[in-house]
Amino acid sequence: RIGKDKDFKKMVAADPALIARSTDGQGNTLLHWAAKNGQKKIAKELLRNHEHCDPYAKNNQGKTAVDVAMDWNYLELAEYLKEKLPDIEVPEGAGPPPPVEEADVKMEQLA
């Protein structure tokens, strides 16, 4: 289960190359998954093992872990990753869509 950072640290210590081998069918790395689930401790551990983790990797949608964290509204984690990865490009307007006001929805329904 993601979030067990102590167990994760043990796994990585036993086989650091596991990080590089762990990519899903959509191109998401372990760092993408940590970002999607708001797991800052695991993201930190992955960045510590930078020789096995490409923090700039993009998934099949062209998104980095920073983009994924923003998409899932883990803005603190996204800011942390941007701080640690100063060269990362973040598209303008990236992140979760603004909340839709109920009045806006009713106006659209009337049109």
Side-chain angles (χ1 to χ4, degrees), residues 19-81:
I19 296 170
R21 293 193 314 268
S22 300
T23 303
D24 69 14
Q26 283 73 46
N28 292 305
T29 65
L30 290 177
L31 190 57
H32 285 94
W33 278 101
K36 181 177 180 178
N37 289 284
Q39 298 294 324
K40 188 174 179 180
K41 288 181 181 180
I42 290 180
K44 283 182 177 184
E45 186 64 24
L46 289 166
L47 293 179
R48 280 188 200 108
N49 285 281
H50 59 85
E51 67 273 8
H52 297 287
C53 174
D54 177 5
Y56 298 96
K58 293 183 179 184
N59 64 15
N60 295 353
Q61 293 178 329
K63 294 186 177 201
T64 65
V66 173
D67 300 323
V68 172
M70 291 176 72
D71 287 351
W72 288 90
N73 210 23
Y74 291 113
L75 304 181
E76 181 183 325
L77 177 54
E79 287 303 316
Y80 170 79
L81 291 170

